[in-house]
Amino acid sequence: MKKYRAVIIIVEGHAEEQFVNESLRPWLANYNIPDVRAIKIRTSQSQKGGSSDYQKFKNDVTRVLNQEHDILVTSLIDFFRLPKKFPQFDAAIKLNGVEKQVEFLEQALAQDISSERFLPYIQLHEFEALLFANILGFKFLPNISPAQIASVQKIIHDYPNPELINNNPKTAPSKRLVQIFPSYKKVLHGNYIILENSFSTILEKCPRFSNWANEIIRKMNQ
């Protein structure tokens, strides 16, 4: 008998929720994990969404853990602009290398939530990095120009691992997308690009994301 009957993923917004429903859930179903649910972080009406408040995030994780006791709970939140109130944030950013910083934050998060049924995951640097796994999806955007395609192709060439696209207010993955496509809408275009690129390409090009996805499989089938 399986230890867990479902996996619930705490996400930042509608685009991540759609990604779980349209890409991650069908892929996990191939590994005998049919019950996969996304829950968006609850925010006040004055907020646009996301993990802008650690206490709200922790409350949501704790609430879901307490509601059902035979489920695995995990997260899909961005490192980019992660609130400084996340556990051990100041200590994490002093480490050399963003991958070490994120790993340290995930460990601190696990300790703070303190549940064997919680698998913390922080996307390096943000959800939009996954879009740069392939050029194919961008080519199907309406009214895209050859110059815009060339700009995206250069980023893909410069960053064989899209997760390493730099964490900067001007050059983070989402900011690059808006600079290239001023009409870019995360919910409207993001998952369309991912679906065209294929989930397998993301797994191939994004090692941290791939490790997380495979860890879900391991835990769900143990």
Side-chain angles (χ1 to χ4, degrees), residues 109-186:
L109 195 54
Q111 291 175 359
D112 192 58
I113 300 294
S114 189
S115 171
E116 66 172 7
R117 294 188 292 116
F118 176 60
L119 172 64
Y121 177 67
I122 300 172
Q123 179 61 45
L124 179 66
H125 289 282
E126 56 180 344
F127 170 75
E128 282 84 353
L130 304 179
L131 277 62
F132 289 96
N134 201 322
I135 191 64
L136 183 62
F138 290 93
K139 293 182 177 180
F140 288 92
L141 292 180
N143 302 316
I144 189 169
S145 70
Q148 289 171 316
I149 289 292
S151 295
V152 175
Q153 187 65 70
K154 185 179 186 306
I155 295 171
I156 293 173
H157 177 270
D158 291 345
Y159 294 91
N161 177 358
E163 293 176 311
L164 297 181
I165 296 175
N166 50 324
N167 185 27
N168 183 284
K170 293 184 178 180
T171 55
S174 61
K175 303 305 178 184
R176 291 172 184 255
L177 285 168
V178 172
Q179 289 169 5
I180 298 171
F181 312 104
S183 60
Y184 173 78
K185 303 295 182 185
K186 184 175 182 178

